[in-house]
Amino acid sequence: MTIYNFSAGPAVLPKPVLETAQSEMLDYKGSGMSVMELSHRSSWFQAIIDDAENLLRDLMKIPENYQVLFLQGGASLQFTKIPLNFAQNKKALYVNTGSWSKKAIQAAEALDNVTVEVIASSEDQNFTYIPEIPANVDQDAAYVHITTNNTIEGTAYQSIPNFGKVPVVADMSSNILANDYNVEDFGVIYAGAQKNIGPAGLTVVIIRDDLLGESDISAPMLDYTLLAKNDSLYNTPPTYAIYVAKLVFEWLQEQGGVAGITAQDQAKSKLLYDAIEASELFKSPVRADSRSLTNIPFVTGNDELDKKFNQEALAYGFENLKGHRSVGGMRASLYNAFPVEGVNELVTFMEKFEAENGGK
Amino acid sequence: MTIYNFSAGPAVLPKPVLETAQSEMLDYKGSGMSVMELSHRSSWFQAIIDDAENLLRDLMKIPENYQVLFLQGGASLQFTKIPLNFAQNKKALYVNTGSWSKKAIQAAEALDNVTVEVIASSEDQNFTYIPEIPANVDQDAAYVHITTNNTIEGTAYQSIPNFGKVPVVADMSSNILANDYNVEDFGVIYAGAQKNIGPAGLTVVIIRDDLLGESDISAPMLDYTLLAKNDSLYNTPPTYAIYVAKLVFEWLQEQGGVAGITAQDQAKSKLLYDAIEASELFKSPVRADSRSLTNIPFVTGNDELDKKFNQEALAYGFENLKGHRSVGGMRASLYNAFPVEGVNELVTFMEKFEAENGGK
């Protein structure tokens, strides 16, 4: 039985990446050591982290005036670090588009000296759409925070709104490298690695230089300026996760870079969205103009039928297809490494299920 | 050429652990997925983290009234979290025994509402010994912080001092599981994984229940109580590092547990210390009553000769034997996974070097 892993993260990785990691596990390039055993101060590891940075810069066309950091703590720790570094004694704007946006907002609100203003929200309709941004946002705000893709709800911005001169801080955890963004549209981009980059435990943060160095941070590990000055080596970084990320970046280059993989992602998601549209049983809970390429929820509208579908899907070899408890139904996460064959099989499986279980 | 990796961390791992990780890389126990690809909410991963916790509890005989957390951020992030969680509006005592103690002290001092008192220090003699603890330490202090083993300086407490009723918070990064400590002597134990536990990017924190829940923490990811309530799954943990740690814990059980491995560590370090004592060329910079089992610095007293030794050692296959820049000379880190054959070869190599280069 072929297993297809639809997990929202940690998620499927490219098979050639795992094969390389496997072959190099006991002896990295003749060093006699595993990558896990390399000192983070060694020239072996320095080459790995340098390569990872250069590959990511190349893939995303990151300009020289942006720092690229390989950190720990996930997006969740950045939720605190971002207001701490950029908005102390200032106002920060947030767009509330889902569970993760809410957590980012709550983390900022928990800080005494940060004023948080939510400028738009889609909470009124269970986050099933991307809300319109008001025309005139406060141009003195420290930043505006958006979640480019909402993993749980399956929504995504189709384009980055214009916020004037306010720096855009983007949680890109679930669609970094799956969308040909212009980095210069952002002040800060951050992403947990465990969806499109590599293993959990690594967080990539990309920061425009002029945003650094302004704040008084009472905790060294929360201070982006200090971490940037030390080139992500202020303390021991998650070395093995950085190595796997480097392998993923190399694989992405072989896929034609971000443009190449985005074309693949668009084709994969179209297969599934077309099947949902053609179906009389399955529906997308997401408004048509707000749909994500990477996280695609769908429901039958009948909890019992959803349950039956999920049971049969699991037995068939579709792992982690069950929807998040806050949305229900099913959710297919089609990240970069998810093979198109798996989408084709899912579509066939859905058609068969519909034939057997009738339309509504 | 056999490579022996004397790195102070990330450090050598047991070969059988790497072999298992290699064999399971593409398919974890028939799941059809790599451990890196498992959802952290899956039953597959839940079994891994449960096993890791239970194994560690068994190895260290951790009582039920202690929480075991698998976190991110290294010891460096705990340097801030510990005073934030346990000493806000209180006094915290610190013993200053080296570079890492100093960083812990500085991180506590950086917080506005924590009073830091350094009750003993060996900085006067470049941290070459463990200082005596004053008889009467403030019994109202929130905790006293010690570094059980000083990685850079090569010192270690030979026994845990009596601090009365003040909870002992121990940075055990470089000798956890290499010393048969009684967990009940401590209020908190924490350790970066990259020396005796597993890959970098994982931090183990062990906390006595009664210390939790008292403080107002303005950042979710810094709040031990919240992280404990969520059984280390408040956000996505470093799943692959936890898996490798579990394999290391299984390997440790096969070595006879902590008692068994400590006996091995004592034998290994005795080989090297005996060689240093017998030599007329090599000396330990550390006072005899304060020497570490896991990090053993030695010097010739002649910078040029140290340099020659390090060059020849590297050419022979001894990786990362060069001493930390603050101490100079050489440093052999003999963690649990370091093979005794490597110590024997080092001793033979030292004898040959001494014969060729004369005593002093």
Side-chain angles (χ1 to χ4, degrees), chain A residues 70-75 77-78 81 201-203 221 235-238, chain B residues 71-74 77 200-203 221 238:
Chain A
F70 295 102
L71 305 178
Q72 298 185 53
L77 186 57
Q78 317 315 313
K81 286 163 85 165
L202 170 64
T203 312
M221 288 289 287
N235 75 332
T236 315
Chain B
L71 306 177
Q72 298 184 53
L77 186 57
L202 169 65
T203 312
M221 287 290 288

Short mmCIF file of all heavy atoms in Angstrom, two decimals, chain A residues 70-75 77-78 81 201-203 221 235-238, chain B residues 71-74 77 200-203 221 238:
data_model
loop_
_atom_site.label_atom_id
_atom_site.label_comp_id
_atom_site.label_asym_id
_atom_site.label_seq_id
_atom_site.Cartn_x
_atom_site.Cartn_y
_atom_site.Cartn_z
N PHE A 70 18.36 31.43 11.01
CA PHE A 70 17.89 30.06 11.26
C PHE A 70 17.79 29.88 12.77
O PHE A 70 18.80 29.72 13.45
CB PHE A 70 18.86 29.04 10.64
CG PHE A 70 18.93 29.11 9.14
CD1 PHE A 70 19.99 29.73 8.49
CD2 PHE A 70 17.91 28.57 8.37
CE1 PHE A 70 20.04 29.80 7.11
CE2 PHE A 70 17.95 28.63 6.97
CZ PHE A 70 19.02 29.25 6.34
N LEU A 71 16.56 29.91 13.28
CA LEU A 71 16.35 29.98 14.73
C LEU A 71 15.53 28.79 15.23
O LEU A 71 15.19 27.88 14.49
CB LEU A 71 15.65 31.30 15.07
CG LEU A 71 16.36 32.57 14.57
CD1 LEU A 71 15.54 33.80 14.92
CD2 LEU A 71 17.76 32.69 15.13
N GLN A 72 15.21 28.84 16.52
CA GLN A 72 14.37 27.84 17.16
C GLN A 72 13.07 28.50 17.65
O GLN A 72 12.91 29.69 17.60
CB GLN A 72 15.11 27.23 18.36
CG GLN A 72 16.40 26.51 18.00
CD GLN A 72 17.04 25.82 19.21
OE1 GLN A 72 16.40 25.06 19.91
NE2 GLN A 72 18.30 26.09 19.43
N GLY A 73 12.18 27.65 18.13
CA GLY A 73 11.00 28.15 18.84
C GLY A 73 9.72 28.19 18.04
O GLY A 73 8.65 28.47 18.59
N GLY A 74 9.81 27.91 16.74
CA GLY A 74 8.60 27.91 15.92
C GLY A 74 8.03 29.30 15.73
O GLY A 74 8.53 30.29 16.28
N ALA A 75 6.97 29.37 14.94
CA ALA A 75 6.26 30.65 14.78
C ALA A 75 5.78 31.14 16.14
O ALA A 75 5.77 32.34 16.42
CB ALA A 75 5.10 30.48 13.82
N LEU A 77 7.09 31.22 19.08
CA LEU A 77 8.01 32.09 19.82
C LEU A 77 8.17 33.43 19.10
O LEU A 77 8.31 34.48 19.74
CB LEU A 77 9.37 31.40 20.03
CG LEU A 77 10.36 32.18 20.91
CD1 LEU A 77 9.80 32.47 22.30
CD2 LEU A 77 11.68 31.41 21.06
N GLN A 78 8.10 33.41 17.77
CA GLN A 78 8.21 34.68 17.04
C GLN A 78 6.99 35.58 17.34
O GLN A 78 7.10 36.81 17.28
CB GLN A 78 8.33 34.46 15.52
CG GLN A 78 9.27 33.33 15.09
CD GLN A 78 10.61 33.27 15.80
OE1 GLN A 78 11.29 34.29 15.95
NE2 GLN A 78 11.01 32.08 16.24
N LYS A 81 8.41 37.54 19.95
CA LYS A 81 9.62 38.27 19.59
C LYS A 81 9.34 39.45 18.66
O LYS A 81 10.00 40.49 18.73
CB LYS A 81 10.62 37.31 18.92
CG LYS A 81 11.28 36.37 19.92
CD LYS A 81 11.93 35.18 19.25
CE LYS A 81 13.33 35.46 18.78
NZ LYS A 81 14.04 34.18 18.46
N GLY A 201 11.34 22.26 14.49
CA GLY A 201 12.42 22.67 15.39
C GLY A 201 13.32 23.72 14.78
O GLY A 201 14.24 24.22 15.42
N LEU A 202 13.05 24.05 13.52
CA LEU A 202 13.78 25.12 12.84
C LEU A 202 12.77 26.19 12.43
O LEU A 202 11.67 25.87 12.00
CB LEU A 202 14.47 24.55 11.60
CG LEU A 202 15.09 25.58 10.62
CD1 LEU A 202 16.23 26.35 11.28
CD2 LEU A 202 15.59 24.87 9.35
N THR A 203 13.15 27.44 12.60
CA THR A 203 12.30 28.56 12.20
C THR A 203 13.14 29.53 11.38
O THR A 203 14.20 29.94 11.83
CB THR A 203 11.75 29.30 13.44
OG1 THR A 203 11.23 28.34 14.35
CG2 THR A 203 10.67 30.29 13.04
N MET A 221 18.09 35.68 23.85
CA MET A 221 17.58 34.76 22.82
C MET A 221 16.34 35.30 22.12
O MET A 221 15.84 34.70 21.18
CB MET A 221 17.27 33.40 23.43
CG MET A 221 18.51 32.60 23.79
SD MET A 221 19.39 32.00 22.31
CE MET A 221 18.25 30.71 21.79
N ASN A 235 23.89 30.90 19.96
CA ASN A 235 24.04 29.62 20.69
C ASN A 235 23.96 28.49 19.67
O ASN A 235 23.94 28.72 18.46
CB ASN A 235 22.98 29.50 21.79
CG ASN A 235 21.61 29.17 21.25
OD1 ASN A 235 21.29 29.51 20.11
ND2 ASN A 235 20.80 28.50 22.06
N THR A 236 23.94 27.26 20.14
CA THR A 236 23.94 26.13 19.21
C THR A 236 22.62 26.07 18.45
O THR A 236 21.56 25.94 19.06
CB THR A 236 24.12 24.80 19.98
OG1 THR A 236 25.16 24.96 20.95
CG2 THR A 236 24.47 23.67 19.04
N PRO A 237 22.66 26.19 17.14
CA PRO A 237 21.41 26.15 16.37
C PRO A 237 20.98 24.69 16.15
O PRO A 237 21.75 23.76 16.43
CB PRO A 237 21.81 26.81 15.04
CG PRO A 237 23.25 26.48 14.89
CD PRO A 237 23.84 26.39 16.27
N PRO A 238 19.76 24.49 15.63
CA PRO A 238 19.30 23.12 15.34
C PRO A 238 19.99 22.60 14.08
O PRO A 238 19.45 22.67 12.98
CB PRO A 238 17.79 23.29 15.15
CG PRO A 238 17.60 24.71 14.75
CD PRO A 238 18.74 25.50 15.33
N LEU B 71 11.73 20.71 25.07
CA LEU B 71 11.51 22.06 24.56
C LEU B 71 12.57 22.45 23.53
O LEU B 71 13.42 21.65 23.14
CB LEU B 71 11.52 23.05 25.73
CG LEU B 71 10.53 22.73 26.87
CD1 LEU B 71 10.68 23.73 28.00
CD2 LEU B 71 9.10 22.69 26.37
N GLN B 72 12.49 23.70 23.12
CA GLN B 72 13.47 24.26 22.19
C GLN B 72 14.24 25.41 22.87
O GLN B 72 13.92 25.80 23.97
CB GLN B 72 12.76 24.82 20.95
CG GLN B 72 11.99 23.77 20.15
CD GLN B 72 11.39 24.35 18.88
OE1 GLN B 72 12.08 24.96 18.08
NE2 GLN B 72 10.09 24.16 18.69
N GLY B 73 15.22 25.92 22.16
CA GLY B 73 15.87 27.14 22.61
C GLY B 73 17.21 26.96 23.31
O GLY B 73 17.90 27.94 23.59
N GLY B 74 17.57 25.71 23.61
CA GLY B 74 18.86 25.48 24.26
C GLY B 74 18.87 25.99 25.69
O GLY B 74 17.91 26.60 26.17
N LEU B 77 18.07 29.85 26.16
CA LEU B 77 16.73 30.41 26.36
C LEU B 77 16.24 30.13 27.79
O LEU B 77 15.54 30.96 28.38
CB LEU B 77 15.74 29.84 25.33
CG LEU B 77 14.33 30.45 25.35
CD1 LEU B 77 14.36 31.97 25.16
CD2 LEU B 77 13.43 29.82 24.29
N ALA B 200 21.28 18.71 18.52
CA ALA B 200 21.03 20.10 18.90
C ALA B 200 19.63 20.51 18.49
O ALA B 200 19.09 20.03 17.49
CB ALA B 200 22.05 21.01 18.22
N GLY B 201 19.03 21.41 19.29
CA GLY B 201 17.69 21.89 18.97
C GLY B 201 16.64 21.33 19.92
O GLY B 201 15.47 21.70 19.82
N LEU B 202 17.05 20.46 20.81
CA LEU B 202 16.17 19.91 21.84
C LEU B 202 16.75 20.29 23.19
O LEU B 202 17.96 20.24 23.39
CB LEU B 202 16.10 18.39 21.70
CG LEU B 202 15.42 17.62 22.85
CD1 LEU B 202 13.94 17.98 22.95
CD2 LEU B 202 15.59 16.11 22.65
N THR B 203 15.88 20.69 24.10
CA THR B 203 16.30 21.02 25.46
C THR B 203 15.39 20.28 26.44
O THR B 203 14.17 20.38 26.33
CB THR B 203 16.18 22.53 25.72
OG1 THR B 203 16.77 23.23 24.63
CG2 THR B 203 16.87 22.93 27.02
N MET B 221 5.40 31.03 25.11
CA MET B 221 6.48 30.06 24.90
C MET B 221 7.55 30.11 25.99
O MET B 221 8.47 29.30 26.00
CB MET B 221 7.12 30.29 23.53
CG MET B 221 6.25 29.86 22.38
SD MET B 221 6.08 28.05 22.27
CE MET B 221 7.75 27.62 21.68
N PRO B 238 10.41 19.77 18.54
CA PRO B 238 11.44 19.29 17.60
C PRO B 238 11.35 17.76 17.52
O PRO B 238 12.10 17.04 18.19
CB PRO B 238 12.75 19.78 18.22
CG PRO B 238 12.46 19.93 19.68
CD PRO B 238 10.99 20.23 19.81
#
